[in-house]
Amino acid sequence: MIGSFDLSYYHEVEVNFNGVSFISCPIYLSYPKFRLASVKEKEMLKNKGIDFTYAVCLDEEDYNATYFVCASELNFTFALTKYYR
């Protein structure tokens, strides 16, 4: 996943999920808030038979929705990547 204030020109944050076991989120999100899943949310995912080390939630307040990405590895990169010269 990438993020910035204007994806037309650049991004500043990259989140790489490795060993993904579950994805429940749309392709495009507006101003999501990232957080690790709560104990209750992790229990709900495990009860569905999903195996993971990290369960990340993406809360989108505009739609009152919470999305999930579950993976064995999670890496963040903070660097400016421009799409123009």
Side-chain angles (χ1 to χ4, degrees), residues 24-25 35 41 56-60 63-68:
S24 169
C25 68
R35 63 177 175 82
E41 290 166 328
V56 175
C57 294
L58 297 98
D59 294 323
E60 195 166 34
Y63 299 104
N64 194 28
T66 299
Y67 306 107
F68 298 93

Side-chain angles (χ1 to χ4, degrees), residues 1-3 15 17 22-38 41 45 54-70 74 76:
M1 294 184 154
I2 58 172
V15 182
F17 300 94
F22 181 74
I23 298 174
S24 169
C25 68
I27 294 171
Y28 182 79
L29 298 166
S30 295
Y31 308 106
K33 292 182 181 176
F34 284 75
R35 63 177 175 82
L36 294 175
S38 67
E41 290 166 328
L45 292 165
Y54 297 99
V56 175
C57 294
L58 297 98
D59 294 323
E60 195 166 34
E61 291 180 4
D62 291 348
Y63 299 104
N64 194 28
T66 299
Y67 306 107
F68 298 93
V69 179
C70 298
L74 180 62
F76 292 90

Side-chain angles (χ1 to χ4, degrees), residues 6 8-11 80-85:
D6 191 345
S8 300
Y9 297 103
Y10 65 92
H11 69 266
L80 180 63
T81 302
K82 296 179 182 179
Y83 305 143
Y84 61 92
R85 294 179 189 244

